Amino acid sequence: MSIVENLHQIKNELPENVTLVAVSKTKPAEDVQKLFEAGQLEFGENKVQELVSKYEVLSKEIRWHLIGHLQKNKVKYIAEFVHLIHSVDNLDLLKEINKQAAKNNRIINCLLQIKIADEDSKFGMDAKNAEVILSDYKEQFPSVKITGFMGMATFTEDENQIREEFKSLKTIFEEYKIQNTELTTLSMGMSGDYKIAIEEGSNMVRVGSSIFGER
Ligand SMILES: *Cc1c(COP(=O)(O)O)cnc(C)c1O
């Protein structure tokens, strides 16, 4: 099947409240262009350099999501246009995003990446840390808006474990949402596990290889 057919097939299966971020990392800008022409607006990249080079050659209507680990010194390259940063995992990074957003007269939407996986390799903060940040970031950092959480499940065949990890983040999300109405986005699920993630309450999935093919 073509990438456009893959996109349509996945989109048709998604509940209406779930946003599909097409993860185009390592794939050429021509592929993004094809999906954009087919109506897809949200795209995700995990590297700043690649995000910027695609941004420069493609339609400015595209909403670019930064989904991978972000180094502080690279925030300045994306601050002018990035739609949503999924991977805020420390206060220093949030501070820098705030600074660069202010320079560009923007408010940048961010998700806090919460560590739910049972693996050392996954970035993210723990829920306690997120709670502290949420409780008082507004005054210090008026140019960022935390709109939700992102989490990645363990890379495992064990569906139950994946489900439990997603469930744990959904629980935290629901809990914090009560006090903070700006928390609307729960970004969980990739090609291998987005169906489970949606069953467990995700409303934003980040799908790469199931659309674009293997990397
Ligand atoms: C690569 C990546 C994805 C998409 O992965 P696929 O398995 O290709 O769907 C989702 N989220 C993050 C953070 C990624 O780095």
Side-chain angles (χ1 to χ4, degrees), residues 10-196:
I10 292 171
K11 274 211 112 128
N12 285 339
E13 290 171 0
L14 291 183
E16 240 179 89
N17 69 315
V18 177
T19 301
L20 172 63
V21 178
V23 177
S24 50
K25 65 190 190 196
T26 78
K27 301 296 179 181
E30 291 75 48
D31 283 5
V32 176
Q33 177 63 23
K34 278 186 200 151
L35 297 189
F36 171 70
E37 284 168 12
Q40 176 67 19
L41 290 180
E42 322 270 339
F43 290 90
E45 289 284 336
N46 70 336
K47 296 213 167 80
V48 165
Q49 174 105 54
E50 197 175 342
L51 180 58
V52 170
S53 36
K54 284 180 182 149
Y55 166 75
E56 283 172 349
V57 299
L58 291 162
S59 166
K60 299 299 174 274
E61 279 175 58
I62 290 176
R63 301 187 196 128
W64 289 105
H65 297 242
L66 195 282
I67 60 172
H69 183 66
L70 176 57
Q71 285 172 301
K72 259 187 357 183
N73 60 356
K74 297 200 171 157
V75 174
K76 58 178 177 283
Y77 302 116
I78 59 171
E80 185 192 339
F81 68 90
V82 71
H83 179 68
L84 179 63
I85 298 176
H86 291 229
S87 44
V88 175
D89 60 2
N90 66 79
L91 194 61
D92 259 10
L93 177 58
L94 194 68
K95 182 176 177 183
E96 177 66 14
I97 296 169
N98 179 70
K99 180 175 153 193
Q100 298 299 335
K103 269 194 191 170
N104 286 278
N105 288 312
R106 297 185 68 206
I107 290 180
I108 295 183
N109 291 334
C110 296
L111 305 180
L112 298 181
Q113 182 172 356
I114 312 292
K115 185 174 157 61
I116 53 172
D118 186 21
E119 286 171 333
D120 293 337
S121 61
K122 298 272 154 77
F123 293 100
M125 60 176 71
D126 58 31
K128 193 73 215 157
N129 205 346
E131 188 176 357
V132 171
I133 291 177
L134 280 169
S135 68
D136 72 352
Y137 82 96
K138 289 236 149 214
E139 281 172 26
Q140 290 181 74
F141 307 139
S143 300
V144 295
K145 184 167 153 192
I146 297 172
T147 58
F149 298 139
M150 186 271 253
M152 290 171 83
T154 304
F155 188 69
T156 171
E157 300 275 282
D158 183 351
E159 208 176 284
N160 272 327
Q161 182 177 350
I162 294 170
R163 191 175 290 284
E164 287 310 312
E165 290 173 359
F166 286 148
K167 216 189 270 289
S168 71
L169 187 52
K170 165 72 169 170
T171 303
I172 296 165
F173 179 63
E174 287 301 324
E175 192 181 314
Y176 292 4
K177 229 169 68 160
I178 297 169
Q179 294 153 36
N180 186 330
T181 52
E182 289 182 345
L183 297 178
T184 54
T185 302
L186 185 55
S187 169
M188 318 191 285
M190 316 175 21
S191 291
D193 57 19
Y194 73 88
K195 289 179 185 168
I196 305 174

Side-chain angles (χ1 to χ4, degrees), residues 3-13 20 35 38-39:
I3 59 172
V4 170
E5 286 168 322
N6 291 338
L7 174 79
H8 286 318
Q9 183 166 343
I10 292 171
K11 274 211 112 128
N12 285 339
E13 290 171 0
L20 172 63
L35 297 189

